[in-house]
Amino acid sequence: MTPILPSFDLSVFKARRQRLLATLAAQGGGIAIISTGRLKMRNADSPYPFRFNSSFYYLTGFNEPDAWLILEARPQGTRSTLFCQPKDPKMEIWEGLLWGPEEATTTFGFDQAFDCHDLSTWLPQALIGHQHVWAPLTHSATPDLMVQLQAWLSHAKASTRGLKRVPTQINDLTPVLSDMRVIKDAAECDMMHQSAYIAAQAHRQAMRVARAGLAEFALEAEILKIFRQHGAQSPAYETIVATGQNACILHHRAGPSLMQDGDLVLIDAGCELNGYASDITRTFPANGRFSGPQATLYDIVLAAQQAAIEFTSPAHHFNAGHDAAVRVITQGLIDEGLLKGSLDSQIEQETYKQFYMHRTGHWLGLDVHDVGRYRELPIDSASAVDGEVSAAPAWRQLEPGMVLTIEPGIYVRPHEDIPEQFWHIGIRIEDDALVTPNGCELLTRDVPVERSAIEALMAESG
Ligand code: GLY
Ligand code: MN
Ligand code: MN
């Protein structure tokens, strides 16, 4: 017996392996080693739920712990090898069915697969003859991986007694993988649409049931219920439900605070569907009606988001949306008396950071803060004209297939210089955008964002 096959096409994973192998071949070939990680204990004998390594999953679609992918690019051809847990009927009674190497080979399209317990004897032999080893060195497991790699390389060297080539260089696979993952293929776009749809339904549900007297954790429960009802495996990150002044804490975890009449409620919640994250924030009034000061600041944030959306296209670089949002927010804060001075001087002095201290977006994908460079590659210092190398390379140009969040906010902490009517208001509005050839598509607009539409939805039911 084998696990249930996922409902999506597994051939995309093989195609990604082939693309990666072609890239490695073009860079001198070698052997790439990617681990998915192990089950970690939470306490006593209870593990944390296992979550695969994103890059490993991107290349395999395989979601069991204790698995390794080995890709080899040699002049005479390529080879993909999976190491995974062997079938174990006794353990499978407790923990669920495993694929095992034999079934995994055919189902997931590897050239071969073996028992993970044999990796340490197989790998030193496989290293022999390659010039380069590739591994994701900036991965969080790097210290362990480096120790392991060095041990395998020493073992390989000892076994050849200097007669055959053993790699002398360990290359970082992270930039290569990040450049692939930052541009989403059709299968990924489809999954991200679905993940975004589920998260939007969860936010709608929260708006429908919210009312004064309800605890933050009760709204969290509604959100998690919708995620699971739609088949999402988990939240993509800890669900943020922040009522009243808690909304000024950017990552406030849903807790026991009760929503009060007159509070705004900020919810930042997204799910993970087959690895793919959604990331939505909505801010709405607990009693269903925005007050005057809340409405004023809300409309500034919404206008800032709209400005950023207009700069989210291949005609602009990554930071253009942030610059646009900062201008709108700063002008709004000046208009309402929270900042004093000219627009340009306040932007120059970054005074807006008292109220808007985070950035307007980040890449989104298998990781909620997904991989990918935010800047162009540095100019090669050898080819740069003297004195023309700037400290930071230019912001990266957006390209079709990139997915990023657009999430401006305003957070007002009490201060004698700030009109009291705005104290403790925290507002963030966050949508997920897929860059298209001519602009962007917002994936998360199944939940309303205009004040009037939010109020209408909240009035629908209680
Ligand atoms: N939910 C985390 C973020 O918005 O970046
Ligand atoms: Mn975000
Ligand atoms: Mn978020």
Side-chain angles (χ1 to χ4, degrees):
M1 285 206 328
T2 56
I4 298 170
L5 255 182
S7 56
F8 43 86
D9 179 13
L10 290 171
S11 66
V12 294
F13 300 100
K14 185 170 182 178
R16 290 178 199 147
R17 292 196 290 276
Q18 285 165 342
R19 272 175 51 216
L20 175 58
L21 279 161
T23 305
L24 296 187
Q27 296 187 33
I31 178 165
I33 302 170
I34 304 154
S35 159
T36 196
R38 315 200 62 173
L39 206 58
K40 288 195 180 66
M41 285 302 153
R42 181 177 182 277
N43 62 301
D45 57 355
S46 302
Y48 285 105
F50 176 71
R51 168 45 160 82
F52 41 74
N53 169 272
S54 296
S55 289
F56 175 89
Y57 181 79
Y58 177 76
L59 295 167
T60 61
F62 194 77
N63 64 7
E64 293 176 11
D66 284 326
W68 295 72
L69 174 66
I70 316 293
L71 295 175
E72 293 171 83
R74 296 180 193 266
Q76 61 270 34
T78 63
R79 185 166 73 170
S80 68
T81 306
L82 179 81
F83 281 82
C84 65
Q85 296 175 75
K87 294 290 285 176
D88 180 345
K90 272 198 195 136
M91 194 184 87
E92 289 174 68
I93 289 174
W94 292 90
E95 305 298 343
L97 295 168
L98 295 165
W99 283 102
E102 204 171 311
E103 279 293 337
T105 309
T106 46
T107 304
F108 294 85
F110 300 105
D111 294 319
Q112 53 186 5
F114 303 114
D115 181 337
C116 57
H117 300 99
D118 296 333
L119 177 70
S120 285
T121 45
W122 185 91
L123 196 59
Q125 296 308 308
L127 289 170
I128 295 168
H130 284 293
Q131 194 165 0
H132 302 292
V133 184
W134 295 82
L137 300 182
T138 34
H139 181 265
S140 51
T142 303
D144 287 352
L145 183 66
M146 282 305 271
V147 170
Q148 182 93 73
L149 275 177
Q150 296 295 356
W152 284 328
L153 283 167
S154 307
H155 192 142
K157 222 184 270 175
S159 79
T160 65
R161 285 185 236 95
L163 297 177
K164 292 191 185 153
R165 174 158 55 194
V166 170
T168 48
Q169 201 177 323
I170 303 177
N171 295 340
D172 191 4
L173 198 55
T174 312
V176 182
L177 283 169
S178 301
D179 276 353
M180 285 179 77
R181 282 177 49 192
V182 79
I183 309 285
K184 274 64 185 176
D185 60 33
E188 294 183 287
C189 290
D190 180 40
M191 209 59 84
M192 294 198 75
H193 271 103
Q194 292 184 49
S195 180
Y197 173 78
I198 296 169
Q201 296 311 311
H203 280 263
R204 290 182 72 92
Q205 173 73 359
M207 287 179 188
R208 276 196 213 101
V209 304
R211 57 178 164 74
L214 206 64
E216 291 170 347
F217 57 63
L219 274 193
E220 178 187 26
E222 295 290 338
I223 288 164
L224 299 181
K225 177 182 78 177
I226 301 293
F227 287 173
R228 290 301 278 153
Q229 272 180 346
H230 285 77
Q233 286 80 7
S234 68
Y237 51 91
E238 294 286 316
T239 299
I240 294 163
V241 181
T243 189
Q245 65 187 52
N246 291 342
C248 291
I249 300 167
L250 300 182
H251 287 169
H252 173 83
R253 288 276 295 106
S257 302
L258 303 182
M259 287 175 258
Q260 313 282 344
D261 195 357
D263 273 0
L264 281 180
V265 184
L266 182 156
I267 299 186
D268 184 344
C271 65
E272 188 173 296
L273 180 71
N274 300 317
Y276 286 86
S278 40
D279 185 4
I280 302 180
T281 307
R282 288 291 184 269
T283 309
F284 55 85
N287 64 12
R289 304 289 298 179
F290 285 89
S291 71
Q294 291 169 351
T296 300
L297 296 191
Y298 189 91
D299 288 349
I300 296 170
V301 177
L302 189 59
Q305 196 204 30
Q306 187 53 41
I309 291 167
E310 280 155 27
F311 280 86
T312 303
S313 91
H316 299 286
H317 60 65
F318 171 77
N319 207 47
H322 179 66
D323 288 340
V326 163
R327 285 193 84 74
V328 173
I329 285 175
T330 307
Q331 184 62 58
L333 293 171
I334 293 169
D335 293 345
E336 297 308 320
L338 283 86
L339 289 177
K340 289 177 183 59
S342 71
L343 175 61
D344 286 339
S345 73
Q346 297 309 288
I347 291 176
E348 167 88 25
Q349 292 163 31
E350 300 188 339
T351 51
Y352 61 84
K353 286 191 174 173
Q354 182 186 347
F355 306 99
Y356 181 35
M357 61 296 284
H358 59 78
R359 298 196 52 80
T360 303
H362 52 83
W363 304 133
L364 183 72
L366 283 165
D367 294 316
V368 66
H369 293 173
D370 207 25
V371 293
R373 285 180 287 109
Y374 287 101
R375 292 183 178 271
E376 300 294 348
L377 286 170
I379 300 167
D380 177 2
S381 53
S383 64
V385 180
D386 266 359
E388 282 195 8
V389 186
S390 59
W395 291 102
R396 186 173 186 172
Q397 200 70 14
L398 294 176
E399 294 174 50
M402 290 174 161
V403 178
L404 66 159
T405 64
I406 307 178
E407 51 175 309
I410 293 179
Y411 313 89
V412 187
R413 288 172 184 271
H415 190 278
E416 55 188 350
D417 293 344
I418 298 169
E420 199 168 337
Q421 57 176 345
F422 296 123
W423 288 10
H424 297 304
I425 294 181
I427 296 167
R428 179 161 67 254
I429 304 172
E430 176 172 28
D431 283 283
D432 304 343
L434 167 64
V435 180
T436 58
N438 299 313
C440 69
E441 177 192 355
L442 297 177
L443 306 178
T444 40
R445 283 294 173 89
D446 288 306
V447 56
V449 70
E450 296 282 347
R451 275 192 295 117
S452 56
I454 290 174
E455 289 180 346
L457 176 60
M458 293 186 74
E460 254 177 36
S461 47

